[in-house]
Amino acid sequence: MMTKVDLNDLKTKGLEEMESEGVLRVVVGMATCGQSAGARRVMETLKKDVAELGLKNVKVAVTGCVGMCTYEPILEVSEPGKKKVTYIHMDPEKTARVVKEHLQGGQPVLDYTVGHDHAGTLKNLEDLQFYAKQKRIVLRNCGTIDPENIHEYIARDGYAALRKALLEMTPQSVIEEMKKSGLRGRGGAGFPTGLKWGFAAPNQADQKYIICNADEGDPGAFMDRSVLEGDPHSVLEAMAIGGYAIGASKGYIYVRAEYPVAVERLKIAIRQAQEMGLLGPNIFGSDFSFDIEIRLGAGAFVCGEETALIASIEGKRGMSRNKPPFPANKGLWGKPTVINNVETLANVAQIILKGADWFRSFGTEKSPGTKVFALGGKINNTGLVEVPMGITLREVIYDIGSGCPHGKAFKAVQTGGPSGGCITTVDLDTPIDFDNLVAIGSMMGSGGMIVIDEDNCMVDIARFFLDFTVDESCGKCTPCREGTKRMLEILDRLVAGEGTMQDLENLEDLAENIRLTSLCALGQTAPNPVMSTLKHFRDEYLAHVQDKKCPAGVCKALLGYVITENCKGCTKCKRVCPVEAITGEVKQMHVIDQDLCIRCGACFNVCSFNAIARN
């Protein structure tokens, strides 16, 4: 196996594959988001038509998520010296036309592009407001390189940081550079990465381990998945650097089996790196050897906690344990172990290559660098965004996300998933960093950011997250196992119109006790969505209890539908009612039998004359 790798030759080859003179490079976003929108059929059509037309100057490649999930499937055409052309909302028919008119005929199909200005100059994704305030460090290669081609990663300085670390730095100087960078763990807790590495390095053992935590479980979060699908080598390189720093020769990537695209691309990346001598024995001719294996998780949310994750790799049930001892002292199979999540690791190579001072030039003093968020929910521009720490929530939601659809009023944003809390308009100008989000009752979490509008019921939102937590509790400690279940039962009563004022008091007492006495962070943070909604939207809870009403019109048991004088007798509502609760003749006002009505809302949704009201 080759050990003395010539990165310069490999970089040249990669650049030739990406930017050959006279060659049109066509990439299709083939991350999970793209494929779910139909990108696979787009790719099949593209390859077939290019082959049938004999277009030798066209190179077709896959790429990862570009971030603008709203526009998937996305196809981009680039040629050296010319502006990239971005096609959006593609399908096989549109793709066939692009192949014939653009790839063969040389004329972009304006109808399918992301847009153009008044002078007819085409725009591409980078010209959109969505990207204007972003800074891509973690996502720098996603949507640009072919994640299944190691040469393209190397073409963008891939593995140069590993070479620098092994040949120009000592393990301790690597750790010191990481400490100086101030990089904090992006998995939720925000613990300093360099400090964690520094704890493990002095511990003597015949074996040490680096583990990549890719067990991304927050509802609505897909940051880590997108990095693994779009830039897997950035994680492999970082794990090798971490292994060198702490004296580990073995790494594990713990990834959930529900991520088949990410798993397949990791397998390809590991195999390519091994074949080139970038993983394995004597990397870059040094005396450092390091290799990586994949371990598949069954999708247990609790396995995102590091001791539960370790137990799962060891073949045990994924359950947290008391600390100390900490994994840095006694982790996987009792050996010193460092665990970092995907996004944390994706920063490492850039820090080593460009220096801690460069990294600290972004973000805030206590939270340097950038943060990747999965922006979803009631937002116009759903997608993956990477922004400098310190940007405000208002900028993310309105400047990048373009606000709520259909002119609906913004109500709150939930950060941190089931472990976080909701943030209202009062705090929209808060700079985003680890400490500020905690101060206003939420947390960074792994990076889920779910926008909530006026049509959402906050009691129902709290119930949704708590229902998830109850299902995912490992059951080891009583406060989490029993307490969260009792909280969920109270919320069930509230949305059913059976809640009492005593229930609200019990809800708060339970939340505080669970927070203080649960074994691990899953239980300790489980009450957060309930407590933050109680704090900011207590009036909605009171409406459910005292008035037996759901102000947002979401909780079915508290809804009633009546037909108003606007009714024209079109009979639409009568025809869709599944229980025949609506009566009336054509062109006469209809009536809903409240005893028969199951409050499904079908009549409300089909009425063309705004004649059905919810109360």
Side-chain angles (χ1 to χ4, degrees), residues 556-576:
K556 287 185 178 181
L558 302 179
L559 288 181
Y561 293 92
V562 294
I563 298 177
T564 70
E565 294 180 353
N566 291 336
C567 179
K568 307 299 182 184
C570 70
T571 76
K572 274 188 180 180
C573 59
K574 181 179 178 179
R575 281 179 276 139
V576 300

Side-chain angles (χ1 to χ4, degrees), residues 152-186:
E152 295 195 7
Y153 177 71
I154 293 173
R156 291 173 62 84
D157 295 323
Y159 290 103
L162 177 59
R163 178 176 60 183
K164 178 181 178 180
L166 296 184
L167 304 184
E168 301 175 25
M169 303 174 73
T170 65
Q172 188 58 39
S173 65
V174 171
I175 292 173
E176 291 305 316
E177 194 70 14
M178 293 305 299
K179 287 181 178 178
K180 184 180 176 183
S181 75
L183 174 65
R184 298 173 65 171
R186 299 309 199 239

Side-chain angles (χ1 to χ4, degrees), residues 193-452:
T193 303
L195 199 59
K196 182 181 284 190
W197 290 12
F199 288 153
N203 294 325
Q204 298 300 311
D206 59 344
Q207 181 69 62
K208 297 181 182 180
Y209 298 101
I210 291 281
I211 297 177
C212 170
N213 181 353
D215 190 62
E216 184 175 52
D218 285 9
F222 51 94
M223 302 76 57
D224 292 351
R225 185 196 75 205
S226 296
V227 172
L228 295 176
E229 291 177 349
D231 195 16
H233 286 283
S234 67
V235 175
L236 306 187
E237 181 178 11
M239 291 177 70
I241 292 170
Y244 173 68
I246 73 164
S249 61
K250 185 74 175 181
Y252 288 95
I253 301 176
Y254 185 85
V255 57
R256 49 184 47 219
E258 295 98 327
Y259 284 179
V261 177
V263 171
E264 181 60 28
R265 288 182 183 164
L266 279 171
K267 289 178 179 178
I268 293 170
I270 291 171
R271 183 176 68 250
Q272 291 175 339
Q274 290 170 337
E275 290 171 351
M276 288 191 172
L278 296 167
L279 287 177
N282 307 114
I283 301 172
F284 287 112
S286 71
D287 59 0
F288 173 67
S289 301
F290 188 80
D291 223 330
I292 295 172
E293 291 184 22
I294 297 171
R295 287 291 182 270
L296 299 183
F301 181 62
V302 72
C303 286
E305 195 279 330
E306 56 186 12
T307 61
L309 184 155
I310 287 171
S312 182
I313 292 179
E314 292 176 342
K316 303 169 186 174
R317 181 177 176 181
M319 301 175 79
S320 303
R321 63 161 174 79
N322 284 316
K323 294 181 285 189
F326 293 94
N329 299 314
K330 189 176 180 181
L332 185 63
W333 292 299
K335 307 296 184 179
T337 303
V338 163
I339 304 175
N340 297 120
N341 91 315
V342 171
E343 185 183 342
T344 307
L345 290 167
N347 282 286
V348 169
Q350 292 298 293
I351 291 171
I352 296 301
L353 195 60
K354 298 180 179 178
D357 291 338
W358 167 82
F359 185 75
R360 294 195 73 96
S361 68
F362 310 105
T364 65
E365 182 181 353
K366 294 184 178 180
S367 297
T370 61
K371 182 69 188 80
V372 181
F373 290 101
L375 189 59
K378 302 293 186 67
I379 192 79
N380 280 303
N381 295 336
T382 58
L384 206 63
V385 304
E386 183 175 2
V387 291
M389 293 279 197
I391 195 173
T392 66
L393 287 161
R394 187 182 302 278
E395 290 175 281
V396 174
I397 292 167
Y398 288 100
D399 294 345
I400 296 175
S402 293
C404 300
H406 313 301
K408 295 289 185 178
F410 168 84
K411 194 172 190 177
V413 57
Q414 176 86 11
T415 65
S419 300
C422 69
I423 301 167
T424 67
T425 53
V426 175
D427 293 309
L428 276 183
D429 293 312
T430 300
I432 299 172
D433 67 16
F434 288 99
D435 304 316
N436 283 338
L437 289 183
V438 171
I440 59 176
S442 189
M443 64 184 297
M444 187 78 72
S446 60
M449 187 176 285
I450 308 299
V451 179
I452 300 162

